[in-house]
Structure formats: C-alpha cells, structure tokens
Amino acid sequence: MGEEMDGNMILAKSLKDQGIEYVFGIVGIPVIELSMAMQSVGLKYIGMRNEQSACYAAQAIGYLTKKPGVCLVVSGPGLLHVTGGMANAQINCWPLLVIGGATSEDHEGIGGFQECPQVELSRPYCKYSARPPNASLIPTHVEKAVRLATYGRPGACYLDFPGNILQSRISVDKIVNSYAHPEPPFVFPNPKDVIRAVDALMNAKRPLIIIGKGSAYARAETYLRQLVHQTNLPFLATPMGKGVVPDNARQCVGSARTTALQKADVVLLVGARLNWILHFGRPPRFNADVKVIQIDIVPEEMHNSIKSHIAVQSDIVPFTDALIDEFTKKKFRFNENNEWWKELNEKCEKNQKTVKAMQSDEKVPLNYYAVFHNIREIIPSDCIIVSEGANTMDIGRSMLLNNLPRHRLDAGTFGTMGVGIGFAIAAALYCRDYCPSKRVVCVEGDSAFGFSGMEIETLVRYSLPVVIVIVNNSGIYSGFTVEDFKSLQNMGDATLTTPPTALSAETRYENIMNMFGKKGYFVRTIPELQNALREALIPSDHPSIINVAINPQADRKPQTYSWLTESKL
C-alpha cells in the first residue's frame, strides 16, 4: 500500500498551495488536529478568544493582502458565531474563507454533537458554500473557494468538514490535486466609455470625484493621485477610501462634503457604491439632475440606486489610466478660480473654523474634537488607524487623517460593531510581517470596546504592540457622569430606571493591562493624553490601553442633515 494522508493534512496542504498565509480561529472538536496540521505546513495560526473577532481578523488580513484570511471554527455554535463576520466580509467585499468543522456524517439526523445545517446556513452570507464529498476532493473545493473569494467582487466563502472526512486516510495517489489559480484577470474599459466620461467631466460646471475603498483594494492610488493632481478636480473619499489620495491634498473637499454632494452636477464614482453611506445618490443629499459616471467590476451593480449617466464595467486601474491619457491629450485642467472651487473652498474654511474652535476647547471633561486633534498631532502619520464606535468612529473619520491607502479600517458598509480589535490584530500582523516599522492605533468608543475587549489577551500572547485608545463617554452615543449614574442607581430597579444607552460611569478599562503585568493609562486632561500616547508609542512587545474620560454628553458639530438618510415611506 502506498503513502497515505489524512483529511487534515490534505486540507492544510491545499490551503498552503493556494497561497493562504494566515488562519484565525478557536479550536475544538473536530478541528484540533487540523489546526496543528496547518502549523506543520507553515500556515500562521492565531488563536482568538471569540469566533466573531477571529472572522473579523481573517477578513481584514484579506483586505490588506488581497489573499483570503482563513477563519477556523468548530461545528454548530462556532459556525453560527461567525455568520455576522461572513456577512460583514461579503458586504464589505473583502476576501475571506471560513472553514467549519461539522459532526461526522454518520451522526447526522440522529442528534449528533453540535449537528447543524452549516452549508445551508452559510449560503446567504457568502459567494460559495460547500462540503467536499470525500477527502480526495478537498483540493478541488479549496481552489474554488479561494478563487471565488478573490475573483470579481471579493467576498466570503465557506467550506464544511465533517469529522469523519478530516480523520479519514486515503492513498496519496487518489488525491485530486488542483492547480494554483493565477491572479484575477483585469477587465478593461470600452474606449468609447472613457471618451464619454472625459467629455462629461470637461463639460461639467461642478464636477466631483468620489473615491471608495474599492480603489484602495485595487491598489489604484498611483493612478488616482495623478488623475486628481493633473485635472485639479475636487474629490471626496468614503471612510475607507481615505488615503487613496491623501486627505491633506489640496483637492480634498471632505470638509465641504454636504455642499459637494448636494451641488455636484457630474460625479465620477470610483470604487464606491451608491448605498446608505452615499445616501443612495438621491435627493436631497444629491442634485436631482446629477450625472453619475459609475465604474464597477460587477455589471449587476450598475444603475443599482439611480440610473447612471455612464456605466462602465472595468477594473479601476486600467480605467483611470485611460482617463489620464485622454485628459492629457485634451490638455484639461479644471480652473481653480472658477465659482465651484470658490464655493467649496469657502465652505471648507467655514467648517474648519468651527472644528478648530471645538478642538481648541481643552476644558475638562474633554470633548471628542480636542481628543482627536491631539491624537492626530502625536501618532505617526503612516500608522494604520482602526476605528469603531458611534460618535468615536464618525467624528474620527474627519479628524484622524489618512495620507496612505488601506490605512483606515472601521465598521464599514455593514456598520458592524465589534470589529475593532480583530481588525487591529490583523493590521498588527500585517505590519509585523510586511512593514515592521509601522504602528497600529485602534481608537474605540467604550461601548465598541466591550464587544471584543478580551482579545487584549490575544494581543499580549502574540506580542502585538497595538495602541488602543478608548474614548470613554460612559455610554452608547451618550452616558452619565459618576454622580448622575449613582443617582440613577438609587432610583429603584435599574432595569426600569437606567436608560438603554447608559453604561457604567468611567469604567477603568485600562486596568485590564494589570492582568498581564503591564501598565494602562487613565486620562482626563490633554497633557495626560499627550504623555500617555508618547509613552505607549515607544517600541515594545505588548499592547497598550489609554482610557480617555470625556464629557458623557459630548457630541459632534451641528449637521445640516442627519448623518443617516432616513426613509420617507
């Protein structure tokens, strides 16, 4: 009899053959031996404390590397715990492969341990969900799952492995080996559409470029930077599109976002979708007569919310390259002295004055703007910023600048809370392996931190020096002072008197670091914040927590519109 291999080793080798590098998970029956096989073939395994965080970390590493991270979970509850993460990856368009253990096939239908219809449950949240029928076909399904997670619009895939398949042994010559697929092919634009797009932008009175995180994933920054600087067209970035063209570029009109969206007559939409983040491209947030030039790799996305003036199926890099060539031929540059630029600049200056007044207010208790201004002044300009929370994330989008692409990770299109520390773990691993001098700073609200705070132990175990800043307002959106919270507790049954948005006042989250013999920081003033940040940023082999107590009723600056476009039905 020839050499044999079990399902665990076949699966581990198949993942390695497809270029997988990182696995995040929590082990148990029936995947303990699988995790060991993964390490034996050179896959980097990161043991997490919660399946949701493991899934968030796996998809973030997929976004940063363009190769799916693997999330490894046990059967039943383990798989169910990651469905939120799968949906987040699918809607964010990030490559992810979830591998779930399952009850042995001969136990199905008779009450097997953690028996669950996992393939069917996963299908709504991913591009491909399957169970290899036997160990010999594992490589075929792994290749397909990795390919579908990365080709076209990236997303999540799920593979299901009953214990009997993982434990089975077969002759090596019976394994159906699969090829390592090439990089995803480029889709090039129709040249006629490029000319039409250039003509529309040249004839626009109030043009605008909107840059989304798809541009960051596509590595289109060199081309988009040249396009913006060469044409002098104003641009906005979606939250994770920040840094593709630097936030401090002269053409960035983020401070005049409402005016830019409302009045633009031609919008070039690059790597973004007209979903809730961009108010569906509809009035009153957009001009009713706006002409949208929509670039997307997926034709089904065209005209999704409004009828686009020009819809182009193309990868971003070849389309932008062709635009640059066409603009060069026509020697076009948008006049910086025209009325549109004057209006945008005036609005930017007005809004920046309002923000400067708020960030200059350093009285205790602090407000968001003062905190974020001082964080921005001290953290490295090239650090990866992870941010989640309600006001913490939303205000941080405008206050914490990004001048490099893929350097901001936040709740994203699905608006998922709890992603922060999982994302930070992935970012820290990426920095350790690809850019060791770069730092990761995770800025979270206290409510958001509560979703995944125990992953601090994971950061310590793997020596990942993430700086975690908790902007602590003692609540969800808003909370109460220590005195007011005590008064609430004295009013009777707390389940009837404590507002749903309230958390315990001034919880000392930084003391978590004491469990590991490390120092945490509790700060109330700007000098304390500055000193804590400088100390936390000193190179080390462990994370840091800076717990910043702010005014529980602190809010963002007044908005022309609610940040979320409300339904009128």
Side-chain angles (χ1 to χ4, degrees), residues 382-405:
D382 68 342
C383 70
I384 294 179
I385 298 172
V386 180
S387 183
E388 69 166 331
N391 288 343
T392 297
M393 180 176 64
D394 295 332
I395 298 171
R397 285 170 173 166
S398 60
M399 292 294 296
L400 300 176
L401 303 183
N402 292 99
N403 294 323
L404 294 170

mmCIF file of all heavy atoms in Angstrom, residues 382-405:
data_model
loop_
_atom_site.group_PDB
_atom_site.id
_atom_site.type_symbol
_atom_site.label_atom_id
_atom_site.label_comp_id
_atom_site.label_asym_id
_atom_site.label_seq_id
_atom_site.Cartn_x
_atom_site.Cartn_y
_atom_site.Cartn_z
ATOM 1 N N ASP A 382 2.042 57.670 9.290
ATOM 2 C CA ASP A 382 1.884 56.494 8.436
ATOM 3 C C ASP A 382 1.280 55.299 9.176
ATOM 4 O O ASP A 382 1.334 54.172 8.692
ATOM 5 C CB ASP A 382 3.226 56.087 7.820
ATOM 6 C CG ASP A 382 4.207 55.563 8.870
ATOM 7 O OD1 ASP A 382 3.999 55.830 10.078
ATOM 8 O OD2 ASP A 382 5.181 54.882 8.479
ATOM 9 N N CYS A 383 0.715 55.520 10.360
ATOM 10 C CA CYS A 383 0.175 54.389 11.113
ATOM 11 C C CYS A 383 -1.164 53.942 10.517
ATOM 12 O O CYS A 383 -1.857 54.708 9.847
ATOM 13 C CB CYS A 383 0.016 54.732 12.590
ATOM 14 S SG CYS A 383 -1.292 55.904 12.962
ATOM 15 N N ILE A 384 -1.499 52.684 10.752
ATOM 16 C CA ILE A 384 -2.810 52.174 10.374
ATOM 17 C C ILE A 384 -3.773 52.509 11.507
ATOM 18 O O ILE A 384 -3.520 52.177 12.673
ATOM 19 C CB ILE A 384 -2.780 50.658 10.120
ATOM 20 C CG1 ILE A 384 -1.922 50.355 8.891
ATOM 21 C CG2 ILE A 384 -4.195 50.116 9.923
ATOM 22 C CD1 ILE A 384 -1.812 48.877 8.552
ATOM 23 N N ILE A 385 -4.868 53.177 11.169
ATOM 24 C CA ILE A 385 -5.850 53.597 12.166
ATOM 25 C C ILE A 385 -7.062 52.666 12.072
ATOM 26 O O ILE A 385 -7.684 52.534 11.016
ATOM 27 C CB ILE A 385 -6.289 55.051 11.939
ATOM 28 C CG1 ILE A 385 -5.100 55.995 12.084
ATOM 29 C CG2 ILE A 385 -7.403 55.429 12.910
ATOM 30 C CD1 ILE A 385 -5.391 57.434 11.680
ATOM 31 N N VAL A 386 -7.363 52.005 13.180
ATOM 32 C CA VAL A 386 -8.579 51.208 13.292
ATOM 33 C C VAL A 386 -9.536 52.002 14.160
ATOM 34 O O VAL A 386 -9.148 52.543 15.195
ATOM 35 C CB VAL A 386 -8.293 49.839 13.933
ATOM 36 C CG1 VAL A 386 -9.570 49.015 14.039
ATOM 37 C CG2 VAL A 386 -7.238 49.082 13.132
ATOM 38 N N SER A 387 -10.794 52.093 13.740
ATOM 39 C CA SER A 387 -11.732 52.911 14.500
ATOM 40 C C SER A 387 -13.116 52.292 14.478
ATOM 41 O O SER A 387 -13.581 51.807 13.445
ATOM 42 C CB SER A 387 -11.787 54.328 13.910
ATOM 43 O OG SER A 387 -12.638 55.152 14.673
ATOM 44 N N GLU A 388 -13.748 52.268 15.632
ATOM 45 C CA GLU A 388 -15.148 51.853 15.674
ATOM 46 C C GLU A 388 -15.842 52.514 16.852
ATOM 47 O O GLU A 388 -15.216 52.961 17.800
ATOM 48 C CB GLU A 388 -15.271 50.330 15.768
ATOM 49 C CG GLU A 388 -14.813 49.723 17.071
ATOM 50 C CD GLU A 388 -15.267 48.282 17.232
ATOM 51 O OE1 GLU A 388 -16.319 47.919 16.675
ATOM 52 O OE2 GLU A 388 -14.559 47.527 17.922
ATOM 53 N N GLY A 389 -17.145 52.554 16.739
ATOM 54 C CA GLY A 389 -17.969 53.198 17.745
ATOM 55 C C GLY A 389 -19.023 54.020 17.028
ATOM 56 O O GLY A 389 -19.157 53.971 15.813
ATOM 57 N N ALA A 390 -19.749 54.787 17.766
ATOM 58 C CA ALA A 390 -20.762 55.656 17.161
ATOM 59 C C ALA A 390 -20.114 57.008 16.868
ATOM 60 O O ALA A 390 -19.475 57.192 15.835
ATOM 61 C CB ALA A 390 -21.960 55.784 18.099
ATOM 62 N N ASN A 391 -20.204 57.946 17.779
ATOM 63 C CA ASN A 391 -19.560 59.240 17.560
ATOM 64 C C ASN A 391 -18.052 59.104 17.425
ATOM 65 O O ASN A 391 -17.419 59.841 16.664
ATOM 66 C CB ASN A 391 -19.894 60.189 18.716
ATOM 67 C CG ASN A 391 -21.337 60.658 18.677
ATOM 68 O OD1 ASN A 391 -21.999 60.552 17.648
ATOM 69 N ND2 ASN A 391 -21.836 61.148 19.797
ATOM 70 N N THR A 392 -17.451 58.172 18.165
ATOM 71 C CA THR A 392 -15.996 57.993 18.097
ATOM 72 C C THR A 392 -15.549 57.730 16.668
ATOM 73 O O THR A 392 -14.580 58.324 16.182
ATOM 74 C CB THR A 392 -15.566 56.827 19.007
ATOM 75 O OG1 THR A 392 -15.894 57.156 20.363
ATOM 76 C CG2 THR A 392 -14.076 56.568 18.887
ATOM 77 N N MET A 393 -16.229 56.834 15.988
ATOM 78 C CA MET A 393 -15.843 56.488 14.618
ATOM 79 C C MET A 393 -16.219 57.607 13.648
ATOM 80 O O MET A 393 -15.422 57.986 12.783
ATOM 81 C CB MET A 393 -16.522 55.192 14.194
ATOM 82 C CG MET A 393 -16.186 54.743 12.779
ATOM 83 S SD MET A 393 -16.933 53.158 12.382
ATOM 84 C CE MET A 393 -18.691 53.570 12.470
ATOM 85 N N ASP A 394 -17.432 58.150 13.801
ATOM 86 C CA ASP A 394 -17.899 59.143 12.833
ATOM 87 C C ASP A 394 -17.085 60.435 12.895
ATOM 88 O O ASP A 394 -16.689 60.982 11.862
ATOM 89 C CB ASP A 394 -19.386 59.453 13.073
ATOM 90 C CG ASP A 394 -20.263 58.234 12.818
ATOM 91 O OD1 ASP A 394 -19.860 57.391 12.003
ATOM 92 O OD2 ASP A 394 -21.332 58.127 13.437
ATOM 93 N N ILE A 395 -16.831 60.920 14.090
ATOM 94 C CA ILE A 395 -16.028 62.141 14.220
ATOM 95 C C ILE A 395 -14.574 61.849 13.850
ATOM 96 O O ILE A 395 -13.892 62.659 13.218
ATOM 97 C CB ILE A 395 -16.135 62.713 15.645
ATOM 98 C CG1 ILE A 395 -17.589 63.090 15.937
ATOM 99 C CG2 ILE A 395 -15.229 63.932 15.818
ATOM 100 C CD1 ILE A 395 -17.850 63.469 17.384
ATOM 101 N N GLY A 396 -14.102 60.660 14.220
ATOM 102 C CA GLY A 396 -12.733 60.286 13.890
ATOM 103 C C GLY A 396 -12.464 60.248 12.403
ATOM 104 O O GLY A 396 -11.331 60.455 11.955
ATOM 105 N N ARG A 397 -13.497 59.970 11.600
ATOM 106 C CA ARG A 397 -13.305 59.933 10.147
ATOM 107 C C ARG A 397 -12.836 61.274 9.610
ATOM 108 O O ARG A 397 -12.068 61.330 8.647
ATOM 109 C CB ARG A 397 -14.617 59.527 9.465
ATOM 110 C CG ARG A 397 -14.937 58.056 9.590
ATOM 111 C CD ARG A 397 -16.342 57.747 9.111
ATOM 112 N NE ARG A 397 -16.579 56.302 9.079
ATOM 113 C CZ ARG A 397 -17.773 55.738 8.954
ATOM 114 N NH1 ARG A 397 -18.846 56.513 8.858
ATOM 115 N NH2 ARG A 397 -17.892 54.431 8.933
ATOM 116 N N SER A 398 -13.300 62.345 10.197
ATOM 117 C CA SER A 398 -12.900 63.667 9.704
ATOM 118 C C SER A 398 -11.679 64.215 10.436
ATOM 119 O O SER A 398 -10.926 65.013 9.882
ATOM 120 C CB SER A 398 -14.060 64.663 9.847
ATOM 121 O OG SER A 398 -14.447 64.802 11.208
ATOM 122 N N MET A 399 -11.454 63.763 11.665
ATOM 123 C CA MET A 399 -10.371 64.338 12.461
ATOM 124 C C MET A 399 -9.055 63.579 12.338
ATOM 125 O O MET A 399 -7.983 64.167 12.461
ATOM 126 C CB MET A 399 -10.796 64.378 13.935
ATOM 127 C CG MET A 399 -11.927 65.351 14.223
ATOM 128 S SD MET A 399 -11.442 67.077 13.953
ATOM 129 C CE MET A 399 -10.181 67.275 15.193
ATOM 130 N N LEU A 400 -9.127 62.258 12.147
ATOM 131 C CA LEU A 400 -7.902 61.459 12.043
ATOM 132 C C LEU A 400 -7.597 61.243 10.571
ATOM 133 O O LEU A 400 -8.274 60.476 9.892
ATOM 134 C CB LEU A 400 -8.073 60.124 12.771
ATOM 135 C CG LEU A 400 -8.379 60.233 14.273
ATOM 136 C CD1 LEU A 400 -8.613 58.859 14.868
ATOM 137 C CD2 LEU A 400 -7.245 60.950 15.009
ATOM 138 N N LEU A 401 -6.581 61.924 10.076
ATOM 139 C CA LEU A 401 -6.305 61.955 8.646
ATOM 140 C C LEU A 401 -5.550 60.717 8.185
ATOM 141 O O LEU A 401 -4.777 60.128 8.933
ATOM 142 C CB LEU A 401 -5.500 63.209 8.297
ATOM 143 C CG LEU A 401 -6.137 64.547 8.678
ATOM 144 C CD1 LEU A 401 -5.257 65.698 8.197
ATOM 145 C CD2 LEU A 401 -7.551 64.682 8.122
ATOM 146 N N ASN A 402 -5.805 60.360 6.943
ATOM 147 C CA ASN A 402 -5.072 59.264 6.300
ATOM 148 C C ASN A 402 -4.465 59.774 5.003
ATOM 149 O O ASN A 402 -5.176 60.298 4.148
ATOM 150 C CB ASN A 402 -5.997 58.090 5.976
ATOM 151 C CG ASN A 402 -6.503 57.393 7.209
ATOM 152 O OD1 ASN A 402 -7.614 57.630 7.665
ATOM 153 N ND2 ASN A 402 -5.687 56.520 7.779
ATOM 154 N N ASN A 403 -3.165 59.608 4.878
ATOM 155 C CA ASN A 403 -2.487 60.015 3.652
ATOM 156 C C ASN A 403 -1.923 58.837 2.868
ATOM 157 O O ASN A 403 -1.236 59.019 1.867
ATOM 158 C CB ASN A 403 -1.383 61.024 3.980
ATOM 159 C CG ASN A 403 -1.960 62.326 4.514
ATOM 160 O OD1 ASN A 403 -3.006 62.778 4.056
ATOM 161 N ND2 ASN A 403 -1.298 62.914 5.490
ATOM 162 N N LEU A 404 -2.236 57.625 3.345
ATOM 163 C CA LEU A 404 -1.830 56.412 2.659
ATOM 164 C C LEU A 404 -3.040 55.496 2.523
ATOM 165 O O LEU A 404 -3.904 55.466 3.406
ATOM 166 C CB LEU A 404 -0.718 55.695 3.436
ATOM 167 C CG LEU A 404 0.620 56.429 3.533
ATOM 168 C CD1 LEU A 404 1.530 55.729 4.534
ATOM 169 C CD2 LEU A 404 1.287 56.523 2.170
ATOM 170 N N PRO A 405 -3.128 54.740 1.436
ATOM 171 C CA PRO A 405 -4.279 53.852 1.239
ATOM 172 C C PRO A 405 -4.223 52.637 2.159
ATOM 173 O O PRO A 405 -3.149 52.227 2.603
ATOM 174 C CB PRO A 405 -4.145 53.428 -0.227
ATOM 175 C CG PRO A 405 -2.674 53.501 -0.496
ATOM 176 C CD PRO A 405 -2.167 54.650 0.321
#
